[in-house]
Amino acid sequence: MSLNDLSRRSILKAGGALVGTFAMPAIVRADPKEIVVGGPAGAAKYFNGDLFPVLESKLGIKILYEGSNSLTNLQKMQADKAAPKMSVVIMDDPVMIPAAAEGLITPMSTKAIPNLDKLVAGAIHRDGLWANYQKPWAGIAFSTAKLAAAPTSWTEMYDPKYAQKIIVPSLSNTEGFWNLLVAAHLDSGKPYAEAQYDVDAGFRKLKSLKANLLNVYTNAPQAINLLEQGEAWMIGGQFSAYTLIRKAAGSPVDLATPSDGAFAMPSGIAKVTGGPGGDLADAFIDAMLGVDAQSILAAKAFVAPTNPAAPKPAGFPDSATLFAPDWAFVAKERAGWVERWTKEMS
Amino acid sequence: MTHAAAQAPAGKIVDRDRSAALAFLAPSLLFLLVAFVTPLILLLGVSLAGPSGLSLDAYGKLLGTGYYLTVIWNSLRLALLTTIFALAIAYPAAFALARARGMVRTALLTCLFLPLAASVIVKAFAWTILLRSDGIVNRILVGLGLIEAPIRMIFTETALIVGSVNIFLPFMILPIYAVVTQLDRRLSEAAATLGAPPIAAFLKVTLPLTLPGIIAGVALVFSLSVSAYVVPTLLIGERYPTLASTIAKAYLLARDPQFGAAAGVALLVIALIVVTLSARLAGRENSR
């Protein structure tokens, strides 16, 4: 057939075939047994390796996990607000707050998610807009190859003998707040409950940490890697779900609980407003709050379960001793703190 | 045949050629319009959209605050140093590549192209391993007796420039290499025959002839390094804020799209200036 022989019918046939070819993957993608879950990149390994295969076989679904940081996931949700791709989102509490304010997450009900009723007090926020599915704890991560004993106080990070040996998280990362809080406490002498609002004192004290800083990280795996290599000796404000996983894998690192305070890092799970597969999202969230999933998380990620029927990991500090800050205040002020932090710490 | 009669068919042919050229160009023009021009107009619009209408506040903050001027300077300094060091390494490397033959040329080209296949993240991480206190660079320097004890290299500006030059080097070598392969070696030989010393022959003959490649390489490397985000983030971190990291923070943390867009426009203007200057210089060289 020459080009001149092309008829309207043959063009239509070819067009139909083309549309069919390109439409097929869309039909496959639209499989109702598949949901997209957005969450922290740092959790991808134990989610995909240990947890999701169990949930997939239990629920008969395919879970597509998009690992990123909480703020990036928030940005994605905003961009896709008209046609969300994610069904469920897993983020830190301070990022859930703006997501809730912008209507990006939708209330969950105990009728669709019965395990909500079984969680410890304080794990459900804003009448079910999000729930904490786990609580890692934060302290000082340290190199067991470089330090003979675990740091016992946050003041140790300020000792001049650790010049250029300390890494801290950026305030852009949720765990970065612990250093500001501790600095405010050390400078003002106030208890954490009051010191958390004395941000000026925190910044004043943090400036004296600059000489000891090897780096301020936004990329947690890179920081942990430097600790494992012995290039950094301590990471202030690190949490169990990163450090203790590496310790369990045989790396010379550990997580210290300073006598002057360790902290609770609540991680939330929520249903995306208008997200696809609503029933699947409910089933997935219910499973995440169930005993089986929480037991796996406790064992593999060293986090405290929020379902009391699941066992706490060995060595987890007494939850009553872990300070939980005013996350609403943190969420409201963080952008300004980050700008100030970048100006004063760079 | 009158003059007018002879002109008419020629005019028609020109018109037909123009129409054909436009028809061929149309898909790419449409793509450029949708994928580049529209987002740029939107970016400019967002940078001027204040809470209560048209506002230049974001530009005022960017250009009127000492801290943000430092941020702009950091980006420019990173791009300038990367471009200078990349050029210094790439120029002789391009000649070596062009003059090499057979297996040697294949091996050199493989060395040039293979790193392009590796992710920037992997390369940046690799530098943090090489430059750490017990890394190979410190060991070599101690072994050679150049330093007594390992020195801190990671998370310094030196590490940033070293990593950045390494990552962007192929983009400098390739355009220069493309020009050098076209260079007629007899021209410098002729200059020597006419009594020009090697330096004079290089400055008067070789360098001007390879200038288009240098200009293209400089424009590419400068534009890539001035807007780099991953490389500074991994190699020096937050203590070296750049325009790219400022944009990310404005959108992700401060939730201030106007300021983020203004920083994006500033980055674009810097890149545009460099590309326009390069194009002008290249045009001048071609017209000689």
Side-chain angles (χ1 to χ4, degrees):
Chain A
M1 187 173 73
S2 77
L3 279 175
N4 296 331
D5 297 332
L6 278 175
S7 66
R8 188 184 298 170
R9 184 169 295 174
S10 62
I11 290 171
L12 280 174
K13 270 185 194 170
L18 202 66
V19 168
T21 308
F22 283 100
M24 272 311 274
I27 293 165
V28 174
R29 274 199 303 274
D31 184 351
K33 287 288 187 187
E34 192 173 271
I35 60 165
V36 178
V37 176
K45 200 173 175 187
Y46 60 84
F47 275 176
N48 287 323
D50 303 308
L51 181 60
F52 290 166
V54 176
L55 299 189
E56 284 177 343
S57 89
K58 184 179 175 184
L59 303 172
I61 60 170
K62 175 75 188 156
I63 300 164
L64 301 175
Y65 187 65
E66 276 192 20
S68 186
N69 71 36
S70 294
L71 289 162
T72 307
N73 278 330
L74 179 66
Q75 191 72 27
K76 279 186 201 168
M77 287 161 72
Q78 277 186 320
D80 296 340
K81 195 174 180 180
K85 292 180 184 69
M86 286 190 276
S87 300
V88 175
V89 68
I90 292 170
M91 305 194 292
D92 298 326
D93 279 16
V95 189
M96 284 290 187
I97 292 167
E102 294 175 36
L104 299 171
I105 52 177
T106 192
M108 303 179 287
S109 71
T110 50
K111 192 179 165 195
I113 305 171
N115 276 322
L116 279 172
D117 260 346
K118 296 173 187 163
L119 302 185
V120 294
I124 298 174
H125 302 268
R126 309 270 174 97
D127 298 324
L129 267 178
W130 79 91
N132 295 133
Y133 71 101
Q134 65 172 24
K135 288 190 179 186
W137 60 280
I140 301 174
F142 66 99
S143 160
T144 51
K146 297 292 181 185
L147 295 179
T152 55
S153 164
W154 289 92
T155 53
E156 286 192 41
M157 292 201 331
Y158 290 80
D159 191 321
K161 72 181 176 189
Y162 297 124
Q164 299 187 353
K165 295 296 178 195
I166 308 291
I167 293 181
V168 292
S170 158
L171 261 179
S172 312
N173 296 35
T174 302
E175 70 268 25
F177 174 67
W178 304 126
N179 288 297
L180 182 63
L181 172 65
V182 167
H185 163 72
L186 293 177
D187 189 81
S188 67
K190 294 174 185 170
Y192 288 123
E194 290 174 43
Q196 66 180 322
Y197 302 109
D198 197 349
V199 176
D200 287 339
F203 277 105
R204 207 162 39 237
K205 180 71 180 174
L206 273 176
K207 278 185 191 166
S208 64
L209 187 62
K210 278 170 85 169
N212 280 9
L213 290 183
L214 175 67
N215 190 30
V216 176
Y217 81 79
T218 48
N219 184 296
Q222 186 192 28
I224 296 281
N225 189 255
L226 289 166
L227 193 72
E228 289 180 62
Q229 293 166 3
E231 193 71 23
W233 293 13
M234 286 186 235
I235 304 178
Q238 250 305 316
F239 51 95
S240 56
Y242 279 171
T243 314
L244 295 181
I245 288 176
R246 296 306 306 149
K247 181 189 173 189
S251 289
V253 295
D254 206 345
L255 190 63
T257 314
S259 59
D260 43 358
F263 309 101
M265 282 280 301
S267 309
I269 188 164
K271 202 172 158 183
V272 176
T273 307
D279 291 345
L280 289 185
D282 287 334
F284 173 79
I285 294 170
D286 195 51
M288 285 289 283
L289 302 177
V291 177
D292 291 348
Q294 300 238 324
S295 301
I296 293 170
L297 287 172
K300 299 291 179 185
F302 304 93
V303 294
T306 52
N307 187 326
K312 248 189 194 181
F316 199 95
D318 178 5
S319 297
T321 65
L322 300 176
F323 177 72
D326 178 353
W327 285 121
F329 177 70
V330 175
K332 185 169 153 257
E333 301 292 335
R334 184 150 71 144
W337 296 345
V338 169
E339 192 168 336
R340 182 171 175 184
W341 165 279
T342 317
K343 284 177 186 169
E344 294 186 14
M345 299 299 282
S346 57
Chain B
M1 192 163 60
T2 64
H3 180 71
Q7 281 292 309
K12 273 186 184 171
I13 289 166
V14 170
D15 285 349
R16 207 183 306 147
D17 284 352
R18 274 191 190 152
S19 307
L22 267 176
F24 281 119
L25 267 176
S28 48
L29 282 177
L30 188 69
F31 177 75
L32 282 173
L33 188 72
V34 172
F36 293 100
V37 180
T38 310
L40 289 181
I41 292 169
L42 287 173
L43 185 77
L44 193 63
V46 173
S47 74
L48 296 169
S52 51
L54 200 68
S55 154
L56 287 169
D57 286 357
Y59 290 100
K61 182 178 171 184
L62 189 68
L63 302 172
T65 317
Y67 169 73
Y68 288 113
L69 290 175
T70 309
V71 169
I72 295 172
W73 171 239
N74 281 351
S75 295
L76 286 172
R77 185 180 160 87
L78 168 63
L80 279 171
L81 290 173
T82 303
T83 308
I84 290 167
F85 285 113
L87 179 61
I89 298 167
Y91 198 74
F95 273 87
L97 200 60
R99 303 273 158 93
R101 291 286 173 269
M103 288 298 288
V104 178
R105 177 183 261 193
T106 309
L108 289 175
L109 280 170
T110 307
C111 289
L112 184 64
F113 282 109
L114 214 54
L116 288 173
S119 151
V120 172
I121 296 173
V122 172
K123 283 185 269 191
F125 262 114
W127 276 111
T128 61
I129 294 168
L130 294 174
L131 296 174
R132 68 190 196 203
S133 50
D134 63 345
I136 192 163
V137 177
N138 256 315
R139 282 186 194 181
I140 289 171
L141 292 176
V142 171
L144 292 173
L146 295 173
I147 51 173
E148 283 182 10
I151 53 170
R152 178 187 166 181
M153 289 189 218
I154 59 169
F155 304 119
T156 59
E157 193 184 29
T158 309
L160 173 64
I161 302 301
V162 167
S164 182
V165 168
N166 167 250
I167 287 163
F168 297 123
L169 189 63
F171 300 98
M172 185 67 89
I173 295 179
L174 286 171
I176 300 176
Y177 165 70
V179 173
V180 173
T181 50
Q182 306 296 319
L183 204 64
D184 189 344
R185 289 177 72 171
R186 288 171 302 180
L187 291 172
S188 45
E189 286 166 10
T193 310
L194 293 169
I199 291 179
F202 172 75
L203 292 175
K204 299 278 185 187
V205 179
T206 311
L207 186 64
L209 287 172
T210 51
L211 213 49
I214 294 173
I215 291 165
V218 164
L220 266 174
V221 171
F222 191 93
S223 305
L224 288 170
S225 49
V226 80
S227 58
Y229 175 71
V230 173
V231 177
T233 301
L234 290 179
L235 288 179
I236 197 163
E238 279 214 332
R239 285 188 289 170
Y240 193 94
T242 60
L243 274 171
S245 65
T246 301
I247 295 168
K249 280 209 177 86
Y251 275 98
L252 292 175
L253 270 166
R255 313 190 71 68
D256 185 352
Q258 190 192 2
F259 186 65
V265 170
L267 201 53
L268 196 70
V269 167
I270 292 170
L272 266 177
I273 290 171
V274 174
V275 171
T276 310
L277 279 177
S278 309
R280 281 198 172 188
L281 279 172
R284 196 182 298 170
E285 282 308 310
N286 286 338
S287 64
R288 274 187 186 179

